[in-house]
Amino acid sequence: MAVLPRRDFLALGAAATAAALLPGKAFAASPTGEKLHGLSAFGDLKYKPDFTHLDYVNVDAPQGGTFNFLPRTWGSNQTPLTFNTLNSFVPKGDSPQRMEMCFDSLMVRAFDEPDAVYGLIADGVTISDDRNGFTFSLRPQARFHDGTPLTAEDAAFTFKLLKDKGHPDYSLPLTHLDDAIAVDAHTVQLNFSGKQTSRTILNVVAFPILSKAFYTANPFDSSQMNPPLGSAAYKVGRWSAGAWIEYERVADYWGNDLPVNRGQNNFARIRVEFYQDRNASFEAFKKGEILYKEEAVSRIWATGYDFPAFIAGKVVKHEFPAETMPSMQATAVNQRREQFRDPRVRQAIGLCFDFEWTRRNFFYGSYERSQSCFEQSDFRAEGVPSPGELALLEPLRDQIPAEAFGEAVTQAVSNGSGRDRQLLGKAAKLLADAGWKRSGNFVVNDKGGRLSAEILVDDEVFEQVYSPWVENMKAVGIDASIRLVDAAQYQLRQNLFDYDLISVAARFPATPTRDDLETFFHSRTATLSGTRNLPGTSSPAIDALVDAAGAAEDRESLTIAMRALDRVLRARRDWIPSWFLANHRSAYWDMFGFPERKPDFDFPVEALWWVDKGKAAKIGKA
């Protein structure tokens, strides 16, 4: 699978539905000229300036122990399969998951609010009268791990560096940053051009602050395997390239007692394992070499938990509710390749995927069919367009599919046979209408060239899941196949858009900015390596809807724009929605404590859980 979303100081870190929103004024109405302890897009801040801790933590959690786990999310150039660099902030290379734990940011998100950020390195921010300038006062006690002060020079250097040379996850939101100025040692000012959206700052304040001294002495590229100098609760400890990495808690971490940190970062050591084979990772879990994992394979979740440690009660299976966030799991059809530019071809390919058969035979009935690019959220389009949606869609009528003006496009429901003749017949007709004529076992164009479609995967599990899809494509004349490649090649080919079909799982913020949406859907990212615009979507109409969502200044306007965007994306069939899971299928050795209340907008077990010594002793893990 491809990249899952960013968390903490990355913009895809938290999300919400409209029902979960707080009442209040738009971000654009936030006061200027006075120091603010936090920012929020559409609602009043939950936590007042004198708050002592976040509500979803256990401030009395004991500290210590090792948390050895398989992370469920990653972003930028990170991969869960291998790593060959320790720089997570550049376009190239494969870096390890959770490098972000080593770097503090100006502000940090609260996981029980849809879009609120509160001061971390910065104890406050002042907005200029024209709302294009943001002045941050930095805490004088902020330190890097070598004891040197973290200053405004480091912050200004960071934003300029990330804009110029950073991964698109960082550089895109900084497009309209005019300057980053160190006013004095503890004051940094970010000035934007005015072309940014009002919510861009919510992304930018959560970016890592890097050491100017370190990246002056060391190149800012993917060649680096020496640990970069950080400032957060963890630093890089031991590692074995491509196999595992350990993050060690910093004993004298400068921000340990800040309200946004209390009750978090409880493990003395966090170890991340890398496996290119899911069976191998499950065997390691059964032996207790891995202590926590989220089960991605339905067959294993349904039938694999019969090993001795589970039977003895040492291992627990538990389903935690998923976050209230818009998510997308889908297959991109690469329109950079001529054979996929006709939407009828993309629709035909989608009709060949029999979800009902796949759900019964591979998923043990555990997944639901995804229909939307913003599944599990109020941003999902339903029924016919509302008057507000029509107001956005009508000016674009000659640029978007007519289907966008009717019932929201949904994926066809098969008879569950695995070879639904009616749907395959419809797929064959669509191909014929698009100019592909049958010649023997395949369809060909007017030059005699076959319609080929290769699905790129990085795990044998997907070879199994997608094989029936391939067979159905072959049945309608598509020269279909699956290409299994190793982790490094998969990441490289994804970054270079070198594939026919590729799948992704992602989630979006509670309050998406234009920057968040651009990386998936905007024309400017269709040729920008490392972005998530995997289908190569390049449409002025989509760009206009992305801009409308980015410019929305209240929740209602945002929801309308997002639904209109979803409606058009589904009608274009740039993505073939696949499936989603309503819960986290968590399995762990029964040696941990965790807060009774799970926050609504993220699930960072490595930050919120702790070792329960009594439980650990009971199962022989003390």
Side-chain angles (χ1 to χ4, degrees):
M1 270 306 176
V3 175
L4 278 166
R6 299 167 287 176
R7 202 193 72 242
D8 292 340
F9 52 65
L10 296 181
L12 299 183
T17 60
L21 295 170
L22 302 172
K25 56 194 176 184
F27 177 71
S30 297
T32 61
E34 65 180 73
K35 188 174 178 179
L36 307 173
H37 75 290
L39 300 171
S40 180
F42 298 132
D44 295 330
L45 294 168
K46 173 181 177 180
Y47 295 99
K48 303 305 179 185
D50 60 350
F51 79 100
T52 59
H53 63 84
L54 300 164
D55 288 348
Y56 51 83
V57 304
N58 174 11
V59 294
D60 297 318
Q63 296 187 347
T66 296
F67 189 62
N68 187 341
F69 81 128
L70 301 176
R72 65 186 180 88
T73 60
W74 58 97
S76 60
N77 68 351
Q78 296 178 2
T79 167
L81 302 176
T82 187
F83 66 95
N84 50 38
T85 179
L86 294 180
N87 189 341
S88 278
F89 313 118
V90 290
K92 296 182 179 179
D94 304 313
S95 70
Q97 295 164 284
R98 295 302 178 267
M99 279 297 297
E100 65 267 22
M101 295 190 305
C102 300
F103 300 87
D104 276 334
S105 53
L106 293 179
M107 307 183 85
V108 66
R109 297 183 184 276
F111 301 146
D112 58 349
E113 295 180 85
D115 49 41
V117 291
Y118 295 91
L120 179 53
I121 292 173
D123 63 9
V125 55
T126 303
I127 306 173
S128 66
D129 289 341
D130 64 4
R131 300 188 182 277
N132 293 325
F134 300 85
T135 301
F136 298 87
S137 59
L138 309 190
R139 300 182 196 271
Q141 68 266 38
R143 292 287 186 276
F144 287 106
H145 293 150
D146 65 354
T148 58
L150 188 160
T151 70
E153 284 287 344
D154 296 296
F157 169 82
T158 294
F159 291 112
K160 293 176 183 178
L161 181 65
L162 292 177
K163 177 179 178 177
D164 184 37
K165 298 181 178 180
H167 188 278
D169 284 354
Y170 301 99
S171 63
L172 283 174
L174 293 170
T175 298
H176 301 297
L177 177 72
D178 276 350
D179 204 358
I181 303 168
V183 178
D184 57 41
H186 303 301
T187 308
V188 65
Q189 185 173 322
L190 303 183
N191 296 324
F192 290 84
S193 68
K195 296 179 181 179
Q196 81 287 354
T197 71
S198 63
R199 301 192 304 275
T200 292
I201 193 64
L202 296 178
N203 286 354
V204 171
V205 297
F207 286 179
I209 300 301
L210 309 178
S211 164
K212 180 179 180 179
F214 180 87
Y215 280 116
T216 300
N218 296 275
F220 186 69
D221 59 31
S222 61
S223 67
Q224 296 298 293
M225 282 298 283
N226 56 318
L229 181 61
S231 59
Y234 290 92
K235 63 180 180 180
V236 174
R238 303 182 305 152
W239 79 89
S240 175
W244 53 269
I245 187 169
E246 292 181 348
Y247 301 102
E248 298 177 351
R249 199 179 194 290
V250 178
D252 57 350
Y253 169 46
W254 73 270
N256 188 52
D257 294 324
L258 293 178
V260 292
N261 284 333
R262 292 191 65 204
Q264 300 189 59
N265 308 314
N266 301 310
F267 297 110
R269 182 179 297 105
I270 294 176
R271 180 180 171 109
V272 178
E273 304 276 357
F274 296 81
Y275 292 91
Q276 297 194 28
D277 180 84
R278 291 175 188 257
N279 291 328
S281 67
F282 187 54
E283 290 301 316
F285 175 72
K286 290 195 294 185
K287 297 175 183 176
E289 296 170 5
I290 294 171
L291 301 174
Y292 175 94
K293 71 189 299 287
E294 288 199 27
E295 189 53 68
V297 181
S298 298
R299 173 184 54 82
I300 293 178
W301 186 254
T303 68
Y305 284 78
D306 57 357
F307 51 94
F310 180 77
I311 295 171
K314 296 181 179 182
V315 169
V316 175
K317 288 172 64 180
H318 186 83
E319 294 195 21
F320 293 93
E323 290 71 60
T324 49
M325 57 178 34
S327 62
M328 177 176 74
Q329 187 153 336
T331 298
V333 186
N334 191 356
Q335 297 170 47
R336 300 171 187 85
R337 300 191 169 173
E338 186 175 355
Q339 70 265 33
F340 303 124
R341 290 175 187 165
D342 192 315
R344 292 170 294 189
V345 172
R346 303 195 293 272
Q347 184 180 358
I349 290 172
L351 285 169
C352 292
F353 178 62
D354 191 330
F355 171 76
E356 286 67 34
W357 186 91
T358 302
R359 184 176 189 265
R360 185 178 70 250
N361 288 277
F362 284 121
F363 296 158
Y364 292 78
S366 60
Y367 285 93
E368 302 298 329
R369 184 66 193 262
S370 180
Q371 301 289 353
S372 167
C373 293
F374 311 112
E375 197 62 66
Q376 297 178 279
S377 83
D378 201 46
F379 300 146
R380 169 177 161 155
E382 299 280 1
V384 298
S386 66
E389 292 173 68
L390 283 174
L392 293 174
L393 296 175
E394 282 293 353
L396 308 172
R397 183 176 280 274
D398 61 345
Q399 303 176 49
I400 60 180
E403 289 174 289
F405 292 90
E407 292 280 339
V409 169
T410 57
Q411 301 302 300
V413 178
S414 79
N415 61 15
S417 66
R419 188 68 66 94
D420 188 317
R421 292 181 178 275
Q422 182 177 358
L423 296 184
L424 294 183
K426 184 177 179 180
K429 185 178 186 306
L430 284 166
L431 294 177
D433 292 345
W436 295 93
K437 306 304 180 184
R438 193 81 185 207
S439 176
N441 292 329
F442 301 100
V443 293
V444 298
N445 59 21
D446 55 4
K447 297 178 182 179
R450 292 180 183 176
L451 174 57
S452 60
E454 179 184 86
I455 305 175
L456 187 68
V457 302
D458 60 357
D459 194 300
E460 291 179 356
V461 167
F462 296 110
E463 277 192 305
Q464 299 170 7
V465 171
Y466 292 149
S467 287
W469 190 7
V470 165
E471 292 305 312
N472 279 343
M473 282 194 274
K474 288 180 178 178
V476 300
I478 300 173
D479 187 7
S481 60
I482 299 173
R483 173 80 64 177
L484 175 65
V485 297
D486 63 32
Q489 187 178 359
Y490 184 88
Q491 188 79 1
L492 178 62
R493 290 184 60 173
Q494 177 179 292
N495 288 343
L496 298 177
F497 309 123
D498 182 17
Y499 48 80
D500 292 341
L501 280 73
I502 192 171
S503 295
V504 66
R507 67 186 187 193
F508 293 86
T511 310
T513 68
R514 184 174 62 198
D515 311 306
D516 302 319
L517 299 172
E518 277 185 350
T519 191
F520 280 87
F521 309 121
H522 200 280
S523 298
R524 70 185 294 234
T525 60
T527 58
L528 183 58
S529 174
T531 66
R532 316 295 183 227
N533 191 343
L534 303 182
T537 300
S538 183
S539 162
I542 293 293
D543 297 347
L545 294 172
V546 166
D547 289 343
E553 293 191 351
D554 57 64
R555 177 61 55 174
E556 182 181 5
S557 299
L558 175 64
T559 302
I560 289 171
M562 291 292 289
R563 287 176 179 173
L565 174 61
D566 183 46
R567 191 176 296 279
V568 177
L569 289 169
R570 289 158 67 175
R572 284 175 52 90
R573 294 179 168 83
D574 294 359
W575 300 85
I576 301 171
S578 51
W579 54 79
F580 68 91
L581 192 64
N583 298 311
H584 295 285
R585 294 189 299 207
S586 298
Y588 51 91
W589 285 73
D590 192 14
M591 55 182 290
F592 301 110
F594 49 83
E596 291 185 8
R597 180 194 165 202
K598 174 186 170 294
D600 290 334
F601 305 120
D602 209 346
F603 188 43
V605 293
E606 67 275 22
L608 301 181
W609 289 25
W610 61 89
V611 171
D612 184 314
K613 292 183 179 179
K615 288 184 175 180
K618 187 176 180 180
I619 65 170
K621 287 285 187 180

